[in-house]
Amino acid sequence: IVDLKERISKLLEFYEEYYQSFQIIASDIEALKKMSLSNLLSEGMSVLNSSVEEINKCPLCLQNKSKEELIREIGLRLKNLESIKKEKSKLDEKRYIVLKALNSIKNMLASIQSNKYYNIIENNVIKNMVNGIIENVGIIENEVNIDILKIQSIKKRDVLVYNINIFNEIIDEL
């Protein structure tokens, strides 16, 4: 139980880091709009680079432009998106760390639940604690799986905090 308490504390630290990074990216609406265009621009660049014939129109908006000018403009826009992509990549790394911590806690909870003494009446306090943790872990998992391009807000750590004092009460009872 002490190990579980430490893992949950770490999870909440990791989530706080993720939350802060998410908020920074989500606060820049223009960057989010540009991020959503990144795939389209990359695909447009591929089409232009692979095209053997000279295209003098933008394939998307049909505006008259030379192929070289389109390639140059799209390349410049993609270069400007690199810093935004780096921030998103850092966010994804933090998300992975949170998910790894979540899985570690889930495995520990499954181990506790599989104990043959888990369902006896004397362990109701532990059962309630495990059920509460499972519920909170599910909420945190849902939050880190939110796509920042679709929804620009997630719950603060304070809303998700599991009452750590329950661990102290259980440890005192044991």
Side-chain angles (χ1 to χ4, degrees):
I1 294 201
V2 173
D3 187 31
L4 182 58
K5 178 182 175 183
E6 290 171 9
R7 289 182 195 207
I8 290 174
S9 293
K10 274 289 189 203
L11 168 65
L12 294 173
E13 285 176 31
F14 295 147
Y15 182 80
E16 180 63 26
E17 290 174 22
Y18 177 80
Y19 174 82
Q20 294 301 327
S21 293
F22 189 100
Q23 291 305 110
I24 290 168
I25 294 173
S27 67
D28 190 348
I29 301 299
E30 282 305 308
L32 289 172
K33 288 178 185 176
K34 290 176 183 176
M35 244 192 298
S36 64
L37 288 176
S38 177
N39 291 339
L40 178 63
L41 291 171
S42 295
E43 188 61 32
M45 184 66 94
S46 291
V47 167
L48 289 170
N49 284 328
S50 66
S51 178
V52 286
E53 60 184 78
E54 194 64 31
I55 302 172
N56 289 319
K57 285 187 178 185
C58 171
L60 186 61
C61 68
L62 301 177
Q63 190 179 53
N64 287 329
K65 283 195 179 197
S66 72
K67 181 178 178 178
E68 294 79 27
E69 186 180 357
L70 283 169
I71 289 173
R72 184 184 52 75
E73 286 179 8
I74 292 173
L76 184 62
R77 289 180 73 186
L78 286 170
K79 187 175 181 181
N80 290 337
L81 288 174
E82 281 306 309
S83 65
I84 298 168
K85 280 184 171 182
K86 286 179 184 174
E87 288 300 314
K88 175 74 167 71
S89 180
K90 288 178 188 175
L91 180 69
D92 290 341
E93 288 172 21
K94 290 178 182 181
R95 177 182 173 272
Y96 174 75
I97 290 169
V98 171
L99 289 173
K100 194 172 168 183
L102 281 169
N103 285 332
S104 169
I105 291 169
K106 284 181 182 180
N107 290 338
M108 185 173 265
L109 293 173
S111 176
I112 291 170
Q113 289 177 310
S114 69
N115 184 298
K116 65 182 178 180
Y117 299 109
Y118 177 73
N119 286 316
I120 64 172
I121 293 174
E122 290 82 7
N123 287 330
N124 274 344
V125 174
I126 292 174
K127 270 177 78 169
N128 291 337
M129 176 196 71
V130 167
N131 290 335
I133 294 169
I134 289 171
E135 184 179 322
N136 279 321
V137 163
I139 293 169
I140 292 172
E141 189 169 27
N142 288 339
E143 293 300 303
V144 297
N145 284 324
I146 288 176
D147 183 353
I148 195 167
L149 297 177
K150 295 180 181 167
I151 299 173
Q152 286 77 47
S153 68
I154 58 174
K155 293 179 181 163
K156 288 184 177 183
R157 173 188 163 171
D158 300 346
V159 174
L160 303 172
V161 173
Y162 183 77
N163 187 353
I164 298 292
N165 292 331
I166 291 174
F167 285 102
N168 296 331
E169 291 171 17
I170 292 172
I171 291 169
D172 289 343
E173 285 182 26
L174 299 176

